[in-house]
Amino acid sequence: MATAVPTDFTNQVVFTEETATFSPEVIEEMRSHLTKYPEERKRSALIPLLFVIQRERGYIDNPGVNFLADFLDLEVTDVWETATFYSMFNLRPVGRHHLQICKTLSCKIMGEPEITEHVCNRLGIHPGETTADGKFTVSLVECLGSCGTAPMMQNGFDYYEDLTVEKVDKILDSLK
Ligand code: FES
């Protein structure tokens, strides 16, 4: 058994033999995703099932990955390959509000550095960190597909677009 120490927000894989367990309702939900794909292509359900794991366990952890590998007849590394590729999957616990600020070209030239600095100053953290009260995590991510309304950030499944410092203040004030 090997243990890796996290070096940044997306670089944490802690290997264990433990496998997660879920309620019958959640298992049923997972099975319902399988029905959308041919039996021989059930690995296509990997991304929706990773969302279920993240919702149920708070983030993508090794026991959850072990479960999915068994559930989909995949290697553990197959699951990690996908989980570590997409920034929408969290590899360690995040705050109640996970502010993902796009740092790619359109957002960058439209003011992302100022937005990031303002968000981080207000929260007293750096990108990749979580506030001491566990309320906010800030991370910088690649293009979120909303380049026409740059700069933008995502919180959960919500997009905040055409950001300005004033708009960010209102957003942060509104988040409980
Ligand atoms: S560059 Fe920021 S959403 Fe595409």
Side-chain angles (χ1 to χ4, degrees):
M1 185 183 304
T3 300
V5 176
T7 56
D8 62 33
F9 193 69
T10 58
N11 186 16
Q12 185 207 33
V13 176
V14 179
F15 295 100
T16 71
E17 301 298 323
E18 183 188 347
T19 298
T21 57
F22 299 95
S23 69
E25 292 76 22
V26 172
I27 297 289
E28 194 50 44
E29 178 188 2
M30 292 185 180
R31 289 212 175 98
S32 76
H33 284 294
L34 292 186
T35 64
K36 300 170 188 168
Y37 307 98
E39 169 66 22
E40 69 278 14
R41 297 283 166 87
K42 62 182 177 182
R43 72 178 298 157
S44 300
L46 180 52
I47 286 181
L49 292 180
L50 280 167
F51 274 117
V52 175
I53 297 287
Q54 181 160 276
R55 185 195 70 210
E56 291 297 312
R57 300 186 64 80
Y59 66 107
I60 306 298
D61 63 351
N62 212 125
V65 167
N66 289 345
F67 173 90
L68 268 193
D70 284 346
F71 195 71
L72 294 173
D73 296 326
L74 295 172
E75 298 296 329
V76 166
T77 48
D78 294 329
V79 181
W80 277 122
E81 279 172 1
T82 300
T84 56
F85 181 80
Y86 294 104
S87 59
M88 59 203 181
F89 296 122
N90 305 316
L91 305 185
R92 62 187 194 200
V94 294
R96 189 155 75 249
H97 300 292
H98 184 194
L99 306 177
Q100 297 179 279
I101 304 171
C102 172
K103 66 179 170 94
T104 309
L105 187 61
S106 296
C107 288
K108 180 81 73 190
I109 61 178
M110 293 300 287
E112 171 275 316
E114 186 188 8
I115 296 299
T116 299
E117 184 180 9
H118 187 68
V119 170
C120 289
N121 283 345
R122 267 212 46 172
L123 300 178
I125 56 176
H126 297 99
E129 294 179 348
T130 299
T131 54
D133 61 2
K135 190 170 168 188
F136 291 99
T137 297
V138 174
S139 57
L140 297 176
V141 298
E142 300 297 341
C143 181
L144 290 169
S146 188
C147 321
T149 54
M152 60 82 64
M153 68 179 177
Q154 181 176 10
N155 175 28
F157 290 107
D158 296 328
Y159 272 19
Y160 300 101
E161 301 163 297
D162 296 311
L163 291 177
T164 61
V165 164
E166 295 72 28
K167 207 163 174 180
V168 164
D169 281 334
K170 285 188 185 147
I171 292 164
L172 293 180
D173 290 342
S174 73
L175 296 175
K176 305 287 184 220

